[in-house]
Structures are given as C-alpha cells and as structure tokens.
Amino acid sequence: DTGVSQDPRHKITKRGQNVTFRCDPISEHNRLYWYRQTLGQGPEFLTYFQNEAQLEKSRLLSDRFSAERPKGSFSTLEIQRTEQGDSAMYLCASSLDPGGNEKLFFGSGTQLSVL
Amino acid sequence: AQTVTQSQPEMSVQEAETVTLSCTYDTSESDYYLFWYKQPPSRQMILVIRQEAYKQQNATENRFSVNFQKAAKSFSLKISDSQLGDAAMYFCALIQGAQKLVFGQGTRLTINP
C-alpha cells in the first residue's frame, strides 16, 4: 500500500492523559499536513511541514499540541493534558511540492475520543 | 484570508439522475487551485476533481464535472448518472501558493434508489 498511513485508527483516552498519533506519508512526498475534523464540519488546518521544517501553525494548535517530522519522513502529533474538546478526527495528508499539482492525499485519520 | 462556502448542508437525488453541488469562495490571489473531495462513511477523504484557476476550460473526470466561474468565484460540482456509491459528504476546497488547503463546511449527498 503506497497511500498515507495513520496509526492508530481509534484512540480512547481519559481527560488529562497525553496521546500521540503517527502519520506515514506517501514516500516521495515532501509536504505533510495535519488537519482536525469534528463531526459534520470540514477539516480545519493545524500545521504543515516541508521536509522536516514546520512552516505554519494554526492558532487552533494550542501549546498542548506539538508536531514533529524529525527526518522529513513520518510525523507525530502529540496532545498533552487532553481535554474533552480535543475529541475529533485527526487527518494527515501529504503532497509533492513542486510538481504535485497541489494535490493532497489523505490518510484514513485517527479518531480521538476523550472521556 | 481565504474562505470557502457551501450553502447546501444536504442534497438528495434519484439514482441515475444528475445533481449539482454549489460552492463559492473568496481569495485575493489570481493563481490558485480548487478541489472537490468526497468523504464516505469510512471518513477517508478522496479527491474527486481539481481545477486550476488559470484554465478557462472546466475540468471533467468521467461522471464528474465542474462549472468554474472565476469572476463570480463560484465552483459547482455536477454528478451525472448518480450511483449509490456516490453517497457521501462532499467538500469544496481551495489552495493557493502551495500552502494549506481550506475547506468548506460540506454537503451531505444522499442517493435515493
């Protein structure tokens, strides 16, 4: 499978716990994006990387959120001290820049439930 | 700031008929790209069709086509010969300057057999 892979698919945690999600992009893609989607809404941008550099972060990304892409390949998104409002689908996407025609390819997402 | 608006929260169509989903957007740039993504119950976002703003010709992909009106900042999706497998949430999205994709609120499409 050469698509975008996300792990885990589902995560249930208690309020106050830390969680970490992983995203493996399409192998030749140098751009990687994180989005958050709540039920019935469109995805909202969180952050993106060009290779290992984090180029932009949304104001949605509070100081409890941190994302890394240490070697320009896979990425992790960590949420510390989770809150019930963090419950959402976390989507990862990747693209090739330049030459990718601006097409983003999405993973299946990680569904987070904070109890 | 870029914004994308989908004014139809829900649409339904009879199987084999044609349906059009609406989208308007706002951007100050002249060079950008527009997309329609499909999200079935599995929640996997699937790219349906893509349009470059500098191209006047409307994009088509099999049963899917767009009506791109640049001056009006309108980008509608037409699905011909609707099939049960087309049932999903459809999101209109905009990207400019090789940056982030901005999505609309989505339209839930139901196909009636």
Side-chain angles (χ1 to χ4, degrees), chain B residues 10-106:
Chain B
E10 296 183 357
M11 292 282 285
S12 63
V13 64
Q14 290 295 126
E15 191 177 3
E17 294 191 347
T18 295
V19 64
T20 299
L21 308 183
S22 301
C23 171
T24 58
Y25 60 92
D26 191 23
T27 177
S28 57
E29 301 293 326
S30 58
D31 187 18
Y32 51 88
Y33 298 82
L34 293 159
F35 302 84
W36 280 96
Y37 278 87
K38 169 184 176 181
Q39 189 177 44
S42 67
R43 302 196 76 178
Q44 172 88 48
M45 295 288 282
I46 301 166
L47 178 63
V48 175
I49 199 164
R50 167 183 169 274
Q51 175 81 42
E52 296 98 325
Y54 64 85
K55 286 189 176 179
Q56 291 187 341
Q57 186 173 7
N58 289 323
T60 62
E61 288 286 344
N62 301 315
R63 297 182 295 108
F64 298 88
S65 61
V66 299
N67 183 3
F68 174 47
Q69 301 289 327
K70 190 172 184 178
K73 295 184 178 176
S74 169
F75 183 62
S76 61
L77 174 70
K78 184 171 83 171
I79 306 173
S80 303
D81 185 25
S82 299
Q83 300 176 0
L84 295 177
D86 295 333
M89 284 290 289
Y90 285 81
F91 292 97
C92 179
L94 164 72
I95 194 169
Q96 64 185 45
Q99 298 181 21
K100 60 181 180 285
L101 199 60
V102 176
F103 287 88
Q105 305 93 320

Side-chain angles (χ1 to χ4, degrees), chain A residues 56-108:
Chain A
E56 186 175 347
K57 292 194 293 185
S58 164
R59 286 174 295 176
L60 293 175
L61 214 65
S62 75
D63 57 4
R64 296 185 297 106
F65 288 70
S66 62
E68 294 183 345
R69 194 182 183 198
K71 297 182 180 180
S73 56
F74 74 92
S75 175
T76 58
L77 177 67
E78 181 183 16
I79 308 174
Q80 295 182 329
R81 306 181 302 282
T82 52
E83 302 173 356
Q84 288 185 327
D86 297 331
S87 296
M89 173 75 84
Y90 290 84
L91 294 167
C92 177
S94 70
S95 69
L96 181 64
D97 176 65
N101 294 324
E102 312 298 349
K103 291 181 183 178
L104 271 67
F105 294 86
F106 284 82
S108 299

